[in-house]
Amino acid sequence: MSSSTLPSRAAPGPSPWRRWSRARRRSASAELRIGAALCLFSVTVTVLVMLFPSRTPFSSLVLPVVLGSILLGPRLLPWFVGFDMVMLTICVSRQESLTGRVLGAATVQLAVACVVLLANLQRARLGVAGLRGESMFVDLRDRILDQAHIPDLPAGWQVESALHSAGGTAFAGDFVVASRSADGTSLQVVVVDVSGKGEAAGTRALLLSGAFGGLLGALPPAGFLPAANAYLLRQAWDEGFATAIHLCLDLTTGAFEVRTAGHPPAVHRASGTGRWAVLHTEGPVLGLLDDLDLTVRRGRLDHGDAVLLYTDGIIEEPCRDLDLGIDRMMGGAESVLRGSFVGAAERLTTTLGSRDDDRAMVVVRRT
């Protein structure tokens, strides 16, 4: 009589809720350990101040407070600051005499503690400690920049993009999103200019870059800008408008379509004649009207041709007409594209436009 063994079934893994709960407990435990270490540090400094007052100034107690403001979360930080102030009180009470210098140093430490607590009230809105909060913002900024990454293209095509924010800050109101079709035959690129500039527009740009990146490629080319407009209207922001230019390019034939919504027009360079043409299109700004009446400009990129997409920061300068700014941009692009194409978008963005405005540039060229 033969016996058979049933295959053992793998034990199911922990649920997502349990994994999240474990991660949360580990994070809380790590923060408690950090808090305990800082309390020990504060006690150590207090003991050193009492034993060696001539070598260890009691103002050293400000160091644990500063470290706590960096490492502790908004719930634990007030308790630690209170503990450190108790240590400060002990140190002051052990001084031989309460001179003006001693009281002044104690006042400065108390002021630093108040500043830390006020900053903690602002962080409480985010719910994370200093370094972790900053890392979150860095990650969000990097995600904006990743949206501007152009997918790998087949041989015969070169695309470059560049983005500079107002004043050189890390966040900008201009952004680029790009998508290549599943079959690899077409490329869509969108350049967006959100109302405002720098950090003031960076949060809106972050939200819109994610939303527009999801819409791009999921809709037919003619449906993207209307869908983006509907999304903006639903946000009901006080400054909830943006301009955009949308390029849909056939990577097989070179045929393209350009649509704009309140955005500066694209420009096209024909390599055969060396002439530049402004691709005028019309459309209202996104986020203001329910219905978009958009025009489309069609053309073809032959070998050696190029098309430029950009934001108004590239062509706007004080006391200068926009048409003159476009002419100046085309002149600069002509000299850049005659040389090496590598770095063309970056060189144009660096040399043109106003440093006090966000600037974005995309250069598409068929080799």
Side-chain angles (χ1 to χ4, degrees):
M1 182 176 179
S2 62
S3 63
S4 61
T5 303
L6 294 176
S8 60
R9 180 177 297 178
S15 65
W17 182 86
R18 288 188 176 180
R19 290 197 296 267
W20 175 83
S21 180
R22 290 176 183 175
R24 185 178 180 181
R25 287 197 297 268
R26 285 196 298 267
S27 177
S29 299
E31 187 175 1
L32 287 174
R33 288 194 295 270
I34 293 173
L38 289 174
C39 288
L40 180 60
F41 180 34
S42 183
V43 171
T44 303
V45 172
T46 302
V47 172
L48 291 175
V49 169
M50 290 189 296
L51 295 179
F52 308 101
S54 61
R55 296 184 180 182
T56 310
F58 72 89
S59 57
S60 303
L61 281 168
V62 75
L63 183 57
V65 173
V66 173
L67 291 176
S69 68
I70 297 174
L71 300 174
L72 297 180
R75 289 187 296 179
L76 191 58
L77 180 59
W79 295 99
F80 172 71
V81 171
F83 176 83
D84 196 80
M85 290 301 98
V86 171
M87 296 297 102
L88 174 63
T89 303
I90 295 174
C91 288
V92 172
S93 64
R94 293 301 183 95
Q95 298 296 309
E96 295 181 356
S97 61
L98 296 180
T99 64
R101 185 175 183 180
V102 170
L103 294 177
T107 302
V108 169
Q109 292 187 72
L110 181 61
V112 171
C114 291
V115 170
V116 168
L117 291 176
L118 288 175
N120 184 67
L121 291 177
Q122 296 296 323
R123 288 182 186 167
R125 300 173 58 187
L126 184 62
V128 294
L131 290 180
R132 281 178 288 172
E134 291 175 2
S135 66
M136 287 176 60
F137 283 117
V138 170
D139 180 62
L140 295 177
R141 178 203 63 190
D142 293 342
R143 288 179 185 274
I144 293 179
L145 298 178
D146 288 343
Q147 293 280 352
H149 175 70
I150 306 297
D152 293 333
L153 300 181
W157 293 99
Q158 293 177 309
V159 182
E160 284 200 357
S161 65
L163 175 65
H164 286 196
S165 62
T169 60
F171 292 89
D174 295 353
F175 64 89
V176 178
V177 291
S179 174
R180 188 177 175 185
S181 62
D183 59 6
T185 60
S186 67
L187 172 71
Q188 295 189 68
V189 180
V190 179
V191 179
V192 182
D193 185 354
V194 180
S195 57
K197 58 186 177 182
E199 298 95 330
T203 54
R204 295 193 299 274
L206 172 66
L207 178 61
L208 293 182
S209 65
F212 288 8
L215 293 173
L216 192 66
L219 298 170
F224 171 76
L225 288 178
N229 180 65
Y231 179 84
L232 262 173
L233 288 172
R234 289 196 299 270
Q235 306 311 306
W237 291 332
D238 292 335
E239 291 186 82
F241 62 90
T243 68
I245 182 168
H246 176 213
L247 169 71
C248 182
L249 174 65
D250 190 316
L251 298 174
T252 303
T253 64
F256 66 81
E257 295 179 353
V258 175
R259 295 173 176 84
T260 58
H263 201 86
V267 295
H268 172 223
R269 181 185 184 276
S271 62
T273 61
R275 293 181 179 179
W276 289 84
V278 179
L279 305 177
H280 290 290
T281 50
E282 296 180 356
V285 173
L286 298 176
L288 296 182
L289 302 176
D290 291 332
D291 297 323
L292 290 186
D293 186 11
L294 302 172
T295 61
V296 58
R297 184 69 179 265
R298 295 180 174 86
R300 183 182 301 275
L301 289 181
D302 294 322
H303 293 284
D305 289 2
V307 63
L308 274 61
L309 313 177
Y310 53 93
T311 57
D312 56 9
I314 295 289
I315 58 176
E316 277 187 346
E317 288 190 5
C319 303
R320 173 171 290 180
D321 185 80
L322 290 182
D323 290 337
L324 294 177
I326 294 177
D327 291 340
R328 180 171 180 267
M329 180 194 67
M330 291 189 295
E334 178 64 26
S335 61
V336 167
L337 294 178
R338 282 179 179 174
S340 173
F341 178 81
V342 177
E346 181 66 28
R347 292 197 298 272
L348 287 171
T349 307
T350 302
T351 58
L352 298 176
S354 172
R355 300 299 183 272
D356 297 326
D357 201 354
D358 298 326
R359 290 156 289 153
M361 168 73 71
V362 176
V363 182
V364 183
R365 181 169 178 258
R366 189 176 188 181
T367 58

